[in-house]
Amino acid sequence: KTTIERFLMNNRDLIELNLSNNKIDEYGMIEVVSQFNSDTDNQANSLAVLVLDNPYFSGPSQTTAFHVSRMLQSRFCNIEKLSLRKFNLTDEGLSMICEHLVVREENKLRVLDIGANKITFKGCQALANMLKAKNCVIESLIMNNNRTGYFGARAMADAIAHQPSDEYKSKWVHLDMTTNDITDDGLFLIAQALKQNSSLISVKLYYNHFGEKSKKEFFDLLRMENPDRMSDWFLD
């Protein structure tokens, strides 16, 4: 067994693990995440925060993403914050992660950071389906520096406009889509959707392509009175 594998096996009470900016390749990363999908001693892991930013991958991370998704679906996994920045994550890998999160009945994941990857509108469609699921408990979604564009913004606007009933568990309060090549029309759709949302508080959209159409819609949004809102807006 590798050193990191032995370390994780002997530290079942570990709460936070940051392995960012290491020379861990695909095989090493699979070994790491597999430890949190383990039924050793039939006990759940205590790990709540896992940071796997900027690993040493030679190509797309679909295989590793599959093992990450299996980890998140496992009943032995209690991770609440997962960071996969610069993970070489594609739409296919993200879709696997989202699908496994939808399947798990008792989700734990509240913060998902997938910034600086290769996510396009297809990945946004998978994210939207996950965010609209009844068992989703995501509170903060960080996806800056991706490639979502207009169609990705349209998919996310659909999720933003989705008003969950009391049976839903989601408390989505923060969204970061900075630097995503979103057009004026895409930003307009997001602003329209936010008018129907009573939970999102913090929304970051800078370094996109704001035009007169979207700026007017955001201006109207900030002036609008919404008795269902619990807090004021925190926009960039």
Side-chain angles (χ1 to χ4, degrees), residues 178-196:
T178 60
T179 318
N180 264 276
D181 198 28
I182 302 175
T183 63
D184 186 41
D185 287 337
L187 294 164
F188 173 81
L189 292 178
I190 290 176
Q192 275 194 323
L194 287 169
K195 291 181 177 180
Q196 305 174 54

Side-chain angles (χ1 to χ4, degrees), residues 26-142:
E26 292 93 333
Y27 300 105
M29 195 61 69
I30 290 171
E31 288 182 3
V32 170
V33 298
S34 296
Q35 290 302 308
F36 305 109
N37 185 27
S38 171
D39 59 354
T40 303
D41 301 326
N42 202 34
Q43 293 180 355
N45 288 285
S46 300
L47 193 73
V49 178
L50 180 58
V51 180
L52 302 175
D53 300 346
N54 197 25
Y56 187 71
F57 289 170
S58 58
S61 61
Q62 282 92 328
T63 303
T64 311
F66 170 73
H67 286 272
V68 170
S69 64
R70 286 192 61 199
M71 171 190 72
L72 293 172
Q73 187 184 354
S74 171
R75 63 190 178 94
F76 301 102
C77 177
N78 287 309
I79 292 174
E80 298 180 10
K81 177 181 177 180
L82 176 65
S83 183
L84 301 175
R85 297 185 66 82
K86 296 184 179 180
F87 201 77
N88 216 13
L89 189 64
T90 63
D91 292 327
E92 182 181 352
L94 178 59
S95 296
M96 286 188 286
I97 291 173
C98 292
E99 288 169 4
H100 280 74
L101 283 170
V102 169
V103 170
R104 184 177 179 182
E105 292 184 4
E106 293 296 328
N107 276 328
K108 304 287 185 180
L109 192 67
R110 287 174 167 75
V111 180
L112 177 60
D113 188 341
I114 50 172
N117 280 292
K118 299 178 180 178
I119 308 305
T120 71
F121 71 96
K122 293 180 180 179
C124 289
Q125 291 170 343
L127 284 169
N129 291 334
M130 177 193 73
L131 290 165
K132 292 187 292 184
K134 292 181 180 180
N135 59 338
C136 178
V137 294
I138 289 288
E139 297 175 4
S140 177
L141 176 59
I142 304 160

